[in-house]
Amino acid sequence: MTSVASLFTPLLLPSWLDPQHIIQAAGASALWVVALIVFAECGLAIFFMPGDSLLFAIGMFTAVGVTAGSGPLIQYGDRFTTVLVVNAVLLVAAVAGNVVGYWIGHKLGPALFRPRQGLAGRILNPAYVDKTDQFFAKHGSSTLILARFVPVVRTFVTMVAGIGRMDFRKFISYTAIGGVAWVLIAVQAGHFLGQVSFIRDNFELALILIVVISVIPMAVEWLRARRVQPVSSETGQTR
């Protein structure tokens, strides 16, 4: 039966970015496809991938199947072993992606993120680096942990750390903590909440809620910036 939520999901996630579609289409290779996507999002400036919802979805499919009553779609032995393998692979992918992103920023950052026309200009827009840099300046090294839960910022924060020549030992410590927290929270949430019949039967709605929740930090920052700008303008006028 088509739910109301399923009618709106394509507006937020086209089919080729729909986590359930990705995992089902990948079949037996689903874990490795998801790991590659996580690696790319964390290290290769591919900011439009469905990171949070994809981790939630693969966690859910370690506990349930595509249809009600079917066995888990993702299996590597028993359930405990499956969850362990999935978490381990995705943790490595997330942290490895950040390390690659750091060194790309360290070696090639200024040359990559410059104004240009076309698709490359939209993907490697210097504005993304500026926004991430502001986030970094506000929250310090803990940004590497907080950024894991903020779309777009998650993608560019490691490159900004590399461009800024952040001490690598400090970087790897904070990024590892963030990677562990992000993967464990999202995958385990999917594994346990996905077994709740209401969530499993309304998976599209769950995806929409994940997308909405994931952009809340960005919305809050945007509203704060909107409030500060008029004050700054008024202050400038009175001087």
Side-chain angles (χ1 to χ4, degrees):
M1 182 179 294
T2 302
S3 64
V4 175
S6 66
L7 299 176
F8 292 95
T9 302
L11 299 178
L12 297 176
L13 294 173
S15 60
W16 58 279
L17 287 179
D18 177 12
Q20 185 170 357
H21 175 79
I22 292 172
I23 293 172
Q24 288 183 234
S29 302
L31 175 58
W32 310 107
V33 170
V34 172
L36 180 61
I37 291 173
V38 168
F39 176 87
E41 183 183 12
C42 293
L44 302 180
I46 304 179
F47 64 90
F48 51 80
M49 302 308 293
D52 302 308
S53 54
L54 191 59
L55 292 180
F56 183 91
I58 198 168
M60 186 185 79
F61 284 122
T62 61
V64 302
V66 177
T67 59
S70 60
L73 181 63
I74 309 295
Q75 286 185 297
Y76 293 93
D78 60 28
R79 183 171 294 187
F80 176 80
T81 303
T82 297
V83 173
L84 185 64
V85 169
V86 168
N87 278 287
V89 170
L90 296 179
L91 283 171
V92 171
V95 176
N98 281 155
V99 171
V100 169
Y102 174 91
W103 287 112
I104 289 176
H106 191 275
K107 300 294 184 181
L108 304 174
L112 284 176
F113 291 94
R114 57 183 175 80
R116 71 185 84 185
Q117 299 296 319
L119 180 62
R122 291 193 292 272
I123 294 177
L124 300 174
N125 191 331
Y128 295 136
V129 177
D130 293 338
K131 291 178 181 178
T132 306
D133 196 30
Q134 292 170 12
F135 199 86
F136 219 121
K138 180 176 181 179
H139 298 286
S141 299
S142 61
T143 297
L144 292 169
I145 300 174
L146 298 173
R148 288 286 187 174
F149 303 91
V150 183
V152 179
V153 174
R154 170 172 60 238
T155 303
F156 294 102
V157 68
T158 52
M159 288 189 180
V160 172
I163 293 171
R165 301 295 196 270
M166 182 179 185
D167 178 73
F168 185 74
R169 290 185 179 180
K170 179 185 291 186
F171 165 80
I172 196 64
S173 297
Y174 280 93
T175 201
I177 293 172
V180 169
W182 182 50
V183 171
L184 292 185
I185 290 173
V187 172
Q188 269 57 243
H191 179 80
F192 291 107
L193 294 177
Q195 298 178 61
V196 177
S197 58
F198 176 80
I199 294 177
R200 194 204 176 290
D201 296 339
N202 296 276
F203 184 61
E204 296 87 356
L205 178 60
L207 291 183
I208 292 174
L209 290 176
I210 291 170
V211 172
V212 171
I213 291 171
S214 67
V215 301
I216 286 177
M218 296 179 67
V220 171
E221 291 297 322
W222 181 80
L223 289 173
R224 286 179 178 174
R226 291 279 295 178
R227 289 180 179 180
V228 170
Q229 286 176 359
V231 173
S232 300
S233 301
E234 291 174 6
T235 304
Q237 290 174 359
T238 56
R239 290 180 177 177

